[in-house]
Every structure is written in structure tokens, then in C-alpha cells.
Amino acid sequence: MKHKVNDSVTNIVVNRKAKYNYFVESTLDAGLVLLGWEVKALKLGNVNIVNSYVSFHLGEVYLFGVQFNPLHTTSLHTFHHLKRKIKVLLKKNEIISLHNKIYKNGYTAIVLSFFLKNSWCKIKIAIAKGKTQRDKRDEEKKSMWNLEKSRIMKKVNLV
């Protein structure tokens, strides 16, 4: 008897500035080691991931710069450290390839989104290179031209 696998993925928080500030080369999914109040805050979307990045500390992968805003209903006897480093759960070959890309090739690892997959909190890590101001202007010109082009084609198709 085959079991039905339910791979439901729900995006909770998305870093919208990531694609504006970086050229995304590749992505990978990773698990996290979170505290209970952090999971509750994450499920309600009380997380800021704009300046978050993934780095190595003592041979392990950690997530830095994520700010969890605690709920008012959580217990008062726990200490809420809002910007603590969070351990990222990856396979050994993924850690090695991430380390090689970051330190040898000059890429950076940023967080694209937090999501729930089968009730597990996970992150989507992007291996990316930073954009210069010129790259951002060129991309804006392309998008404006594509928008204008679609307007012209719409007018031509109506006539």
C-alpha cells in the first residue's frame, strides 16, 4: 500500500529586495534549529529577513541578521534574544559546496524566504553575487522597456 506524500509548501516571509540587490545563481532549501517562541512568531509572519545572510562559524553553518519579533502572549520567564545566530541544517555535501562557492568564488549566501514544508520551518538560501548601481539601472531600463513594449503590442492587437 503506497502512502500519499503531501509536500505542501507555504511561503511565510519573502525577501523581496534580494532579487533587486543580487544576481541569484542557485538556491537550496535548509532546515533550522528554532526555539518555540520563534516558531510561533514565524508562523504569524513577525520576522524580518531583509539583512539576513548565511555564514560559517566554527565549521558549522549559521543564519545571521534575522529578527524575530516576539508575541505578547508568550511566557515572560524566557529571554527573547531578537537577533541571535540560528543553526542551519544542511547535508555534508551541501555544506562543502556552499563553503567552496562563498570563500573561493566570492559569492554570498542570502536568505530568499522562510516557508513551511509539511509543518517544518525551512529557509530558501540563495548563492548570489551583489549588483552594482549600474546593473540596477540597466535592469530597470529593461523592465521599463518591456512594460512599454507590452503596451504597444496591446494597442496594435486592439486595432
Side-chain angles (χ1 to χ4, degrees):
M1 190 183 248
K2 292 186 179 181
H3 294 284
K4 193 173 186 180
V5 177
N6 185 10
D7 283 340
S8 62
V9 176
T10 306
N11 277 335
I12 299 172
V13 181
V14 178
N15 187 356
R16 292 183 183 169
K17 285 193 166 196
K19 295 200 176 164
Y20 176 74
N21 292 327
Y22 297 97
F23 291 115
V24 176
E25 298 291 324
S26 62
T27 62
L28 59 118
D29 296 340
L32 295 170
V33 178
L34 296 174
L35 300 175
W37 69 271
E38 291 173 335
V39 174
K40 289 179 184 179
L42 180 65
K43 286 184 178 182
L44 288 176
N46 293 342
V47 181
N48 185 5
I49 61 170
V50 173
N51 296 322
S52 61
Y53 61 95
V54 175
S55 186
F56 289 87
H57 185 266
L58 300 175
E60 294 181 339
V61 183
Y62 286 97
L63 179 62
F64 294 95
V66 176
Q67 183 177 2
F68 289 94
N69 298 325
L71 304 174
H72 299 291
T73 59
T74 56
S75 63
L76 300 175
H77 69 278
T78 58
F79 176 69
H80 302 291
H81 186 57
L82 301 180
K83 285 191 170 184
R84 72 176 186 96
K85 62 181 181 182
I86 299 167
K87 187 171 181 179
V88 177
L89 304 173
L90 290 169
K91 294 180 182 175
K92 191 172 187 175
N93 58 354
E94 292 174 335
I95 293 173
I96 292 169
S97 68
L98 184 66
H99 185 273
N100 289 339
K101 286 181 181 177
I102 289 175
Y103 291 110
K104 291 183 181 175
N105 298 338
Y107 289 99
T108 185
I110 59 171
V111 177
L112 288 181
S113 65
F114 274 86
F115 63 94
L116 289 174
K117 183 175 183 181
N118 296 335
S119 74
W120 293 97
C121 297
K122 294 186 177 276
I123 59 172
K124 185 173 286 293
I125 300 172
I127 299 166
K129 270 210 189 258
K131 287 183 182 178
T132 61
Q133 196 66 32
R134 182 178 180 91
D135 293 332
K136 292 176 187 177
R137 281 194 300 263
D138 290 343
E139 194 168 296
E140 188 176 344
K141 285 179 186 177
K142 280 184 189 175
S143 67
M144 292 300 286
W145 167 242
N146 287 336
L147 186 63
E148 187 64 30
K149 188 168 55 172
S150 67
R151 287 181 186 154
I152 292 170
M153 292 303 289
K154 188 175 180 181
K155 286 181 183 178
V156 168
N157 288 339
L158 290 176
V159 174

